[in-house]
Amino acid sequence: MKFTLSWLKDHLETDASLAEIVERLTAIGLEVEHVDDKAGLKPFVIAKVLTAVQHPDADRLRVLTVDTGDGKPPVQVVCGAPNARAGLIGAFAAPGTYIPGIDVTLSVGKIRGVESHGMMCSERELELSDEHSGIIDLPQDAPVGTSFAAYAHLDDPVIEINLTPNRPDATSVYGIARDLAASGLGRLTGGAIMPHAGEGMCPVKVKIEAPELCPGFALTLVKGVKNGPSPKWLQQRLIAIGLRPISALVDITNYVTFDRGRPLHVFDANKVAGNLVVRRAKDGEKVLALDGREYTLTPEMCVIADDDGVESIAGIMGGEHSGCDENTTDVLIESALWDPIATARTGRALGIISDARYRFERGVDPEFMVPGVELATKLVLDFCGGTPTEIEVAGYAGHKPKIIFFPLSEVKRLTGIEVPREEALGILARLGFEPRSSGDAAEVKVPSWRPDVDGKADLVEEVMRIHGVDNIAPQPLTSHDAVNGKILTVLQIRTRAAKRALAVRGMMEAVTWSFIPAKHAELFGGGQNELKLANPIAADMSDMRPSLLPGLIAAAQRNADRGIGDVALFEVSGTYEGDMADQQRRVAAGVRRGTAKLDGSGRSWSGNAGAVGVFDAKADAIAALEACGAPVDRLQVEAGGPAWYHPGRSGTIKLGPKTVLGTFGEFHPKTLATLDVVGPICGFEVYVDAVPEPKAKPTRTKPKLELSPFQAVKRDFAFVVDRSVEAGTLVRAALAADKKLVTGVSVFDVFEGAALGAAKKSIAIEVSIQPVEKTLTDEDFEALAKRIVENVNKQTGGVLRA
């Protein structure tokens, strides 16, 4: 939001300096980002060149005599500008003046043997533009001897503040002045708007077919206007804030937009066919807007139309067809209320950023709808003449103010500082609130221009930003006599542990968008509408993600497109299911592409590495679960996973029959085709929040685990089992044979063949045996082997292979 100091003082009667105003703005929450103050141009004066003769020793230089208007004899200046001539009026800098554009302080000097007592300046030397082909050439009526900055209106500082989205009232110069006045920096002025006396009813009527998008519409007709340039003061204010003056009618709407935060639109009444209707756009309907671009509309967008079609994109931009020009004689002035969410969605979908959209999507003052028309009509009558009609108002049911019960003790409770009761109520009153005190509490009526204020905490914020946040004394943290307890939650600890475990496995952490395209959300389990965003930031980011995998797969493909095909990525973050507010999950997920295995990727001296597969994804998933504290020895792996995995190369990790801890596998070809991804790629997802929390540890210190002094022994077994028996079941059966001696079981061979019989297979395992009390004898090993064989036979039906 930009405005000039003189503009601000139209509404703020104050003796405060620019520095004081800037400091106060930041202190009350309207952070000043930049001040464009041309104070350095004050020494430059308007001067007239009396004579210009060729320099005796330089072809491109001229010796000028310059009248600076101070009543003293003309000064001699050496100048190399090609447009230097007798009679030229420009900007002169005397010796001792700092020239900002060239970072030089002038002094009297000789140029090719001729003394020069100053400088005639170009625009670049004054940092007004990049133009430096000649010195500034002013009109002949420019007053010689006066300040150039004052003549060019460069002595009016431009202030730019950074607004948060919750402060629509500060999108106007008047609203900013109101805040400054409330802070004690001056007196608020210029707020009254006198209604005009119209002649007859407005002949153009308004029908609102979409009241949910347009709660109110005000319109008036002014006949017999003469459109031309706006007054110089208005043009200079618009130029100062970066707007281009167009004509009086258009400039008036821009002025009211910034002065009062009330966007308006003017129609050439002679170009409007019949009455106006506010409706939803028809699918595929088009409009040529004032920016010269044609836009295709959808039924989610609101428009103002006449009998011939769309005339304006509601709340965003008017149409070219009904725009005002130098031939306009009758003008319709429109002031309406538009739904903030619909306005933001339409502007984002069409890619239009306008001053009107900026204000409507934040929420304009509904009670200023009619006064806005009154103000614009007054300015039209002042600048263009004409005869107005009465104002036509449609749809507006009036503003129902919010009433907040405000215990004044909340200020102390929430801020730690005591603000006197009278001061707190006075601050609210000066800001436009209407507090009705009753003892230690008050009922506060919220003004129509503050839609962001909803509760008592908001009122405390208003009191404190005006009272002074820097009045809150810093408080040191209290020290504790004992060691602090655990700070991080179990979920935070698991998140850190999972990230470390996956990074150790050679995977790179990625951060992907929480928003994904609708077809990707549906592909990975999202419903048709349950994850839809009401106001997406882009068309391809319309749904909250039900899985981390779409984003990771897309990231892996982007790397592949740039020549990095072997990549392993992981992310630990949130996914969403159903009602997003209640069903968020903490998930660790990862993908591997190409040959990005744990033991390296790409080519090596031993030949090309194999492509990633289901077992790489399984190992990653188990590692993440182990880091999160899952009982890995009790996990069950079932064949098959969700539909986005390959049905024969995927699995589901469970803890018991009902608790699903994760899934893994190679991705289904149809999934990759839908995501437009190619190449060997596998992945996994584990549900960090589904891992059972650890049991509380006893406070008594346990003895440390001692290493066994006895030699560990490994024995191999091969069992013939039915082809349907899973290797994991056999491993668990072998482990259960003796939990004290058997410390590990791993599969090292699976064989199928005719010699084993139909529907049979051989699974070979290596059993690690660790004696802890004594060295085992041959008889001990035989007894243990017998128990292993019996346990496997009992649980899987397997027999020892001969």
Side-chain angles (χ1 to χ4, degrees):
M1 174 67 187
K2 289 184 178 181
F3 55 93
T4 65
L5 181 60
S6 65
W7 197 345
L8 177 67
K9 289 188 175 181
D10 281 355
H11 301 299
L12 182 68
E13 187 179 298
T14 180
D15 295 327
S17 66
L18 174 63
E20 290 173 326
I21 290 174
V22 168
E23 182 181 0
R24 185 63 58 84
L25 282 169
T26 299
I28 61 177
L30 304 177
E31 180 184 1
V32 175
E33 284 200 330
H34 180 67
V35 177
D36 187 5
D37 185 9
K38 302 294 186 182
L41 299 183
K42 290 181 180 178
F44 296 87
V45 298
I46 298 175
K48 183 175 183 178
V49 178
L50 301 178
T51 64
V53 298
Q54 188 68 41
H55 190 288
D57 294 326
D59 293 339
R60 296 187 178 182
L61 297 178
R62 288 179 176 82
V63 181
L64 314 179
T65 56
V66 178
D67 178 14
T68 61
D70 57 359
K72 297 179 181 179
V75 297
Q76 181 174 278
V77 175
V78 178
C79 181
N83 65 333
R85 67 186 186 278
L88 179 142
I89 298 178
F92 172 76
T97 302
Y98 174 72
I99 311 298
I102 56 176
D103 192 24
V104 168
T105 300
L106 293 181
S107 61
V108 177
K110 287 187 176 182
I111 302 177
R112 291 290 188 95
V114 178
E115 276 195 350
S116 181
H117 296 262
M119 181 180 186
M120 297 296 291
C121 303
S122 68
E123 290 188 358
R124 187 176 73 170
E125 287 157 348
L126 271 60
E127 292 188 331
L128 301 179
S129 72
D130 292 330
E131 177 59 43
H132 64 286
S133 60
I135 56 179
I136 295 172
D137 192 348
L138 298 176
Q140 289 300 305
D141 60 354
V144 175
T146 61
S147 168
F148 170 74
Y151 171 81
H153 298 280
L154 299 173
D155 57 347
D156 193 5
V158 178
I159 304 170
E160 182 177 3
I161 64 173
N162 180 26
L163 286 182
T164 51
N166 67 317
R167 289 300 305 278
D169 60 301
T171 60
S172 69
V173 180
Y174 185 80
I176 295 168
R178 178 171 48 224
D179 267 18
L180 288 171
S183 72
L185 207 63
R187 186 174 68 87
L188 188 64
T189 61
I193 299 174
M194 298 300 295
H196 67 269
E199 295 186 5
M201 300 301 294
C202 179
V204 179
K205 302 302 178 183
V206 180
K207 180 181 179 182
I208 301 177
E209 293 183 355
E212 71 279 7
L213 302 180
C214 178
F217 197 105
L219 186 72
T220 190
L221 172 68
V222 183
K223 297 180 179 180
V225 302
K226 182 175 177 58
N227 193 17
S230 57
K232 196 69 176 177
W233 67 266
L234 178 52
Q235 293 186 39
Q236 289 165 349
R237 283 190 175 174
L238 296 180
I239 292 172
I241 63 174
L243 296 180
R244 179 175 61 91
I246 298 174
S247 66
L249 293 173
V250 177
D251 293 352
I252 286 169
T253 63
N254 286 330
Y255 175 76
V256 176
T257 295
F258 279 83
D259 188 66
R260 296 304 183 96
R262 162 36 72 179
L264 305 167
H265 186 63
V266 289
F267 299 89
D268 188 326
N270 295 321
K271 298 177 182 177
V272 174
N275 294 323
L276 295 178
V277 58
V278 179
R279 59 172 173 81
R280 292 181 178 272
K282 299 172 183 176
D283 195 18
E285 200 168 21
K286 297 183 178 181
V287 60
L288 180 64
L290 286 172
D291 60 0
R293 297 173 58 188
E294 186 177 68
Y295 295 96
T296 302
L297 309 177
T298 66
E300 289 77 27
M301 301 173 183
C302 186
V303 298
I304 304 173
D306 62 6
D307 293 347
D308 291 339
V310 177
E311 292 291 352
S312 174
I313 306 173
I316 296 177
M317 187 173 289
E320 179 76 24
H321 169 71
S322 58
C324 296
D325 54 32
E326 66 277 4
N327 300 316
T328 298
T329 58
D330 300 335
V331 62
L332 287 166
I333 305 175
E334 166 256 307
S335 174
L337 299 174
W338 307 109
D339 178 67
I341 298 298
T343 303
R345 185 186 298 119
T346 299
R348 188 172 292 128
L350 298 178
I352 302 176
I353 299 175
S354 66
D355 293 322
R357 172 193 164 187
Y358 181 84
R359 286 156 178 80
F360 279 123
E361 68 185 5
R362 284 161 172 76
V364 301
D365 180 4
E367 291 291 90
F368 200 76
M369 180 180 72
V370 174
V373 176
E374 300 277 11
L375 177 59
T377 302
K378 178 183 181 302
L379 294 173
V380 169
L381 298 179
D382 290 345
F383 302 160
C384 307
T387 304
T389 67
E390 295 291 336
I391 297 176
E392 169 84 9
V393 179
Y396 187 55
H399 173 70
K400 184 178 180 181
K402 288 179 281 190
I403 305 295
I404 299 175
F405 178 73
F406 181 40
L408 295 172
S409 59
E410 286 294 284
V411 177
K412 176 71 182 305
R413 187 181 74 84
L414 294 178
T415 67
I417 190 170
E418 191 77 51
V419 178
R421 174 179 174 278
E422 292 74 16
E423 181 182 353
L425 296 176
I427 288 173
L428 292 175
R430 294 196 299 274
L431 287 172
F433 295 84
E434 297 180 28
R436 289 192 303 173
S437 176
S438 176
D440 294 331
E443 285 189 347
V444 180
K445 182 188 292 187
V446 179
S448 58
W449 58 82
R450 292 303 302 271
D452 58 303
V453 176
D454 290 314
K456 56 188 179 182
D458 296 324
L459 296 177
V460 172
E461 181 182 353
E462 293 300 301
V463 170
M464 285 313 303
R465 71 182 183 89
I466 301 300
H467 175 75
V469 177
D470 50 358
N471 288 325
I472 301 176
Q475 298 290 333
L477 291 174
T478 57
S479 60
H480 299 282
D481 295 332
V483 177
N484 289 333
K486 184 173 65 174
I487 297 176
L488 299 179
T489 65
V490 172
L491 204 56
Q492 290 171 329
I493 294 172
R494 288 177 178 176
T495 298
R496 287 187 173 188
K499 289 182 177 181
R500 290 190 179 123
L502 295 173
V504 166
R505 294 183 60 80
M507 306 184 82
M508 301 289 291
E509 184 175 9
V511 179
T512 63
W513 287 98
S514 297
F515 318 132
I516 60 176
K519 65 176 183 178
H520 294 181
E522 295 173 10
L523 184 66
F524 282 82
Q528 290 289 334
N529 296 306
E530 60 185 14
L531 298 177
K532 287 286 182 188
L533 290 169
N535 189 21
I537 62 176
D540 59 348
M541 293 184 173
S542 60
D543 290 54
M544 299 298 288
R545 62 186 179 194
S547 168
L548 299 180
L549 292 174
L552 290 173
I553 295 171
Q557 184 60 39
R558 285 194 295 271
N559 278 273
D561 294 340
R562 289 159 176 79
I564 308 174
D566 302 315
V567 63
L569 304 174
F570 78 89
E571 182 173 8
V572 184
S573 190
T575 62
Y576 306 88
E577 300 176 2
D579 183 357
M580 294 180 294
D582 298 326
Q583 299 185 34
Q584 297 186 29
R585 303 209 67 174
R586 176 63 56 168
V587 178
V591 298
R592 292 183 184 270
R593 189 189 184 280
T595 60
K597 291 175 173 289
L598 176 62
D599 56 352
S601 63
R603 295 176 296 177
S604 68
W605 64 270
S606 61
N608 291 337
V612 296
V614 59
F615 294 109
D616 298 299
K618 177 184 177 183
D620 291 334
I622 296 296
L625 286 171
E626 185 175 18
C628 292
V632 177
D633 57 329
R634 294 193 285 118
L635 298 181
Q636 300 171 354
V637 180
E638 294 182 356
W644 51 88
Y645 290 116
H646 192 294
R649 302 175 189 172
S650 60
T652 300
I653 303 173
K654 291 185 174 182
L655 183 63
K658 295 182 179 180
T659 305
V660 176
L661 297 185
T663 59
F664 64 89
E666 299 175 27
F667 292 103
H668 199 290
K670 291 183 178 179
T671 301
L672 299 181
T674 303
L675 298 176
D676 196 20
V677 173
V678 296
I681 184 167
C682 65
F684 72 92
E685 274 189 309
V686 297
Y687 309 115
V688 177
D689 52 6
V691 177
E693 292 204 9
K695 296 180 180 179
K697 295 182 179 179
T699 56
R700 188 172 56 189
T701 304
K702 289 185 175 181
K704 295 182 179 179
L705 179 65
E706 295 183 1
L707 297 176
S708 174
F710 303 105
Q711 179 69 41
V713 180
K714 294 183 178 180
R715 290 286 186 268
D716 295 343
F717 298 84
F719 293 94
V720 178
V721 296
D722 291 338
R723 191 173 295 172
S724 60
V725 175
E726 296 176 350
T729 305
L730 192 146
V731 167
R732 287 191 293 273
L735 280 169
D738 193 316
K739 294 183 179 180
K740 191 173 182 179
L741 292 177
V742 178
T743 58
V745 179
S746 61
V747 177
F748 67 86
D749 181 62
V750 177
F751 170 75
E752 296 180 7
L756 298 176
K760 296 288 184 178
K761 64 180 178 182
S762 169
I763 300 178
I765 60 174
E766 180 185 73
V767 179
S768 298
I769 304 169
Q770 176 62 66
V772 291
E773 296 177 351
K774 64 175 183 176
T775 299
L776 300 182
T777 63
D778 289 343
E779 290 77 13
D780 295 329
F781 281 118
E782 290 298 327
L784 177 59
K786 183 177 180 182
R787 290 198 299 274
I788 292 173
V789 171
E790 289 176 350
N791 219 43
V792 170
N793 178 262
K794 181 179 179 181
Q795 296 190 30
T796 68
V799 296
L800 198 63
R801 183 178 173 186

